[in-house]
């Protein structure tokens, strides 16, 4: 091979390696975000389990358990890693779409879930589809940030809570990951 051909192959190898490393870094950042959502959701499920044990023992009613869970979720926030000052929160929804507890917007409780992604799919339907055949799942959808109109990518970790025929989920925007990725690799 000519020296210029070997140099070209080396350059292509370096470019391919950089591309692979970049892709792996983006995947790692997304997986870290999902793990944060998983941990927050599982913590809320653990609280609901504890309250359900009290229901089973006859200490409180199911409605009292749901009300107590809602009170806890109103103050239990987590850092959503979205590069902003807002905190993430947990939502519990019944199978019929009724919001049982909403850590970010308590005024939604007792009402049908109204969240829809940019293609018109309800977040409730997406959540239940994610746990079909499993007790947990991950969903990807788009939704505008508060106060904005342009939909941005989001990811949510969803977990089923069978005793209440409900799902719990925590979501976070992921557009910051794409922005960080582009900034790191000069795109």
């Amino acid at each position: 091979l000519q020296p210029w051909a070997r140099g070209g192959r080396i350059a292509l190898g370096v470019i391919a390696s950089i591309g692979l490393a970049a892709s792996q870094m983006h995947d790692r950042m997304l997986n870290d975000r999902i793990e944060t959502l998983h941990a927050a959701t599982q913590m809320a499920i653990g609280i609901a389990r504890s309250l359900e044990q009290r229901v089973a023992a006859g200490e409180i009613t199911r409605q009292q358990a749901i009300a107590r869970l809602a009170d806890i979720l109103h103050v239990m926030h987590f850092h959503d890693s979205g590069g902003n000052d807002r905190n993430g929160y947990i939502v519990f929804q019944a199978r019929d779409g009724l919001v049982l507890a909403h850590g970010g917007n308590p005024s939604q409780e007792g009402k049908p879930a109204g969240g829809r992604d940019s293609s018109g799919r309800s977040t409730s339907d997406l959540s239940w589809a994610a746990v079909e055949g499993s007790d947990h799942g991950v969903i990807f959808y788009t939704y505008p940030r508060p106060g904005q109109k342009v939909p941005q990518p989001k990811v949510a970790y969803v977990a089923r809570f069978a005793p209440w025929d409900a799902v719990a989920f925590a979501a976070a925007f992921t557009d910051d990951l794409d922005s960080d990725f582009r900034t790191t690799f000069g795109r």
Side-chain angles (χ1 to χ4, degrees):
L1 283 176
Q2 298 293 329
W4 59 268
R6 275 186 293 231
R9 281 184 165 172
I10 291 171
L12 285 175
V14 169
I15 291 169
S17 294
I18 290 171
L20 178 62
S23 176
Q24 288 173 339
M25 183 181 89
H26 184 271
D27 289 349
R28 182 71 235 153
M29 292 186 320
L30 179 60
N31 287 336
D32 287 347
R33 182 75 44 94
I34 292 169
E35 187 54 38
T36 296
L37 300 173
H38 171 249
T41 301
Q42 290 305 311
M43 188 178 302
I45 291 285
I47 294 167
R49 245 186 232 114
S50 172
L51 290 166
E52 183 58 22
Q53 288 172 349
R54 296 188 63 202
V55 170
E59 297 173 16
I60 59 176
T61 66
R62 170 77 45 81
Q63 280 310 112
Q64 288 171 322
I66 292 170
R68 288 186 183 171
L69 176 69
D71 287 343
I72 292 167
L73 295 184
H74 297 162
V75 296
M76 187 180 102
H77 292 191
F78 60 93
H79 180 61
D80 71 4
S81 304
N84 55 49
D85 294 331
R86 290 174 301 135
N87 288 323
Y89 53 86
I90 314 295
V91 176
F92 267 74
Q93 288 181 354
R95 179 168 301 272
D96 63 4
L98 190 68
V99 176
L100 301 176
H102 197 300
N105 189 356
S107 70
Q108 295 296 309
E109 294 169 2
K111 298 177 184 171
R116 297 200 172 275
D117 76 356
S118 61
S119 67
R121 299 174 301 176
S122 78
T123 53
S124 182
D125 289 345
L126 292 169
S127 296
W128 281 102
V131 296
E132 189 173 305
S134 177
D135 285 335
H136 56 89
V138 175
I139 59 174
F140 294 90
Y141 61 104
T142 56
Y143 197 79
R145 285 185 178 274
Q148 297 182 4
K149 295 191 187 303
V150 177
Q152 298 297 325
K154 285 188 90 169
V155 61
Y157 183 87
V158 183
R160 178 191 316 268
F161 188 61
W164 296 353
D165 198 19
V167 290
F169 65 89
F173 286 98
T174 60
D175 57 320
D176 63 302
L177 300 179
D178 296 334
S179 176
D180 290 350
F181 177 77
R182 285 189 300 275
T183 299
T184 299
F185 288 96
R187 291 184 178 184

